[in-house]
Amino acid sequence: MRNSLNSALRPRLAAGAIAIACAALLCAGAHTASAATPAAAAAEQPVVAVQTVRVQRAEIAQPVRAYGIVAASASNLTTVNLPYTARIVQMRVQSGQTVTRGTPLFVVQADAAAVLAATQAKSAVTLAQGELTRTQSLYDKGLATQSQLASARKAAADAQQALAAQNQTGVANGNKIVTAPNDGVVLQVSAAQGDQVQPGTAILQLAGGSGKDARANVMLGVEPADAAAIHAGDIVTLHGLSTSLAKTSANGHVALVGASVDQQSHLVDVGANVPLGQTAFIPGTRVSADIATRNGTHWIVPRAAVLKDGKGAYVLQITPQNKARRVAVTIQVENGERYGVDGALDAAQGLVVSGNYELKDGMAVRTSGGAPR
């Protein structure tokens, strides 16, 4: 019977031993897995590949695009005419010609009546002066009254004023050469050789374009929302709209900014003074222009480097420990693919321009070349 009991217990003891052994193995495996977890987690921490550029502070401006025409400002046009009737003897210039101050424009011959009026004015002065001298002599001898002397003096003064008025007209006997009053371009010739022109009739128009004065020689139109940022003195860069002038440009400055919206174009007029004497921008040329506004010194960063979220705009820089550092920025200027921003940037740290969408503050990074940065 004892043998029988032992036979019954043996299978139970063996099963128990096996269970204990399995439990021990499971505990050992769990301990090993637990010990390996920190190392595995550290090994699996993501390292983002990025591309960086250097950042620096420099001057940057926000361009405002405008469109207009050369020499369209009335303040820049000079109409050449005569205050007396005359005949055009010879025309010395033609439309489109560039002239300087003093360049002969045309030759005229005053009308006979105008010459006669000028001659009579000179004779009247001579006569009045003689009468004044004679009356003064009689008055000194007691042979003329005070009233007569006053009348003689007034007649002499009136004759002098009439002569001065005739001299201002520039009437001369014979041919006279009329010269350009200022530098510019002959915009329009309204008279031809042999024409009889009346006083005040436009003979030709000059469009100033030498850049030697501060008058506007280019009129541009800008959107009303952009006009407030434009001020006199802002730099203007003209560009040609035609195919032949596509690569041509000229620089100048804003001379005036309109204070109202044009009812026809619904734009605000901006006048610019641009030296055009040696350029292909002749009067009447239609142009586009970039006006540099809000000029200032800021951090210059590529547009791709700036991200935005609920906390505002920010960029990411790489610390010496190869970690991403979030820097809040304020966008001050937009210029094409560049921003001018203010913020606590470090010029010694790389600025992330590619891969920044995958980054968070403090994440490990490496450059696209493989070396941590």
Side-chain angles (χ1 to χ4, degrees):
M1 182 170 180
R2 184 175 180 179
N3 291 334
S4 202
L5 181 60
N6 289 337
S7 298
L9 290 174
R10 283 193 190 102
R12 295 181 181 180
L13 291 173
I18 292 171
I20 292 172
C22 289
L25 289 173
L26 289 173
C27 288
H31 178 73
T32 303
S34 177
T37 299
E44 294 177 1
Q45 184 176 4
V47 178
V48 179
V50 298
Q51 291 181 347
T52 61
V53 296
R54 293 297 179 186
V55 65
Q56 62 180 354
R57 289 182 66 83
E59 285 194 7
I60 185 173
Q62 182 160 319
V64 171
R65 179 53 62 95
Y67 295 90
I69 187 170
V70 174
S73 171
S75 65
N76 191 60
L77 297 179
T78 301
T79 300
V80 179
N81 54 29
L82 296 172
Y84 54 87
T85 303
R87 182 175 64 86
I88 305 296
V89 176
Q90 185 183 32
M91 186 64 67
R92 296 281 187 89
V93 294
Q94 59 185 1
S95 180
Q97 181 176 336
T98 300
V99 297
T100 58
R101 182 174 183 176
T103 299
L105 298 178
F106 50 85
V107 179
V108 297
Q109 186 178 60
D111 182 70
V115 175
L116 178 61
T119 303
Q120 288 176 341
K122 293 178 182 178
S123 300
V125 169
T126 302
L127 179 62
Q129 288 288 358
E131 184 63 21
L132 175 61
T133 301
R134 188 180 70 83
T135 304
Q136 182 69 54
S137 176
L138 292 174
Y139 178 79
D140 293 339
K141 297 176 181 179
L143 300 176
T145 65
Q146 180 71 32
S147 177
Q148 290 174 326
L149 179 60
S151 296
R153 287 174 176 172
K154 184 179 183 304
D158 289 345
Q160 287 286 359
Q161 291 178 355
L163 179 60
Q166 285 292 334
N167 290 337
Q168 286 183 351
T169 65
V171 175
N173 192 14
N175 293 345
K176 177 183 178 181
I177 298 175
V178 178
T179 60
N182 52 263
D183 298 351
V185 177
V186 179
L187 188 62
Q188 181 180 0
V189 177
S190 304
Q193 184 169 312
D195 286 354
Q196 188 89 357
V197 293
Q198 298 302 313
T201 302
I203 298 174
L204 57 80
Q205 277 188 330
L206 287 178
S210 66
K212 294 183 179 180
D213 56 38
R215 295 184 300 173
N217 61 338
V218 179
M219 288 305 294
L220 305 167
V222 300
E223 292 291 339
D226 296 327
I230 302 174
H231 301 89
D234 287 345
I235 297 175
V236 177
T237 302
L238 291 188
H239 306 282
L241 291 178
S242 64
T243 303
S244 60
L245 296 178
K247 297 183 179 180
T248 304
S249 63
N251 295 323
H253 295 84
V254 172
L256 60 94
V257 181
S260 63
V261 177
D262 185 273
Q263 295 302 311
Q264 293 184 346
S265 66
H266 302 291
L267 300 174
V268 175
D269 291 334
V270 174
N273 177 257
V274 184
L276 300 175
Q278 304 300 320
T279 72
F281 295 108
I282 62 176
T285 303
R286 295 195 174 276
V287 296
S288 66
D290 289 321
I291 304 173
T293 67
R294 300 171 61 183
N295 187 66
T297 301
H298 306 283
W299 291 105
I300 310 299
V301 301
R303 181 183 290 266
V306 180
L307 302 177
K308 297 180 181 179
D309 60 13
K311 297 180 181 179
Y314 68 95
V315 297
L316 291 160
Q317 288 195 283
I318 307 305
T319 68
Q321 294 75 33
N322 304 322
K323 302 289 185 181
R325 180 175 75 93
R326 175 176 172 139
V327 182
V329 296
T330 302
I331 300 174
Q332 301 291 355
V333 173
E334 297 182 34
N335 189 329
E337 293 301 315
R338 302 184 303 161
Y339 280 146
V341 304
D342 290 337
L345 278 74
D346 188 338
Q349 296 181 0
L351 179 75
V352 181
V353 294
S354 178
N356 47 359
Y357 286 96
E358 306 175 43
L359 284 181
K360 293 183 179 180
D361 194 24
M363 289 182 67
V365 300
R366 62 180 174 81
T367 61
S368 58
R373 183 153 182 158

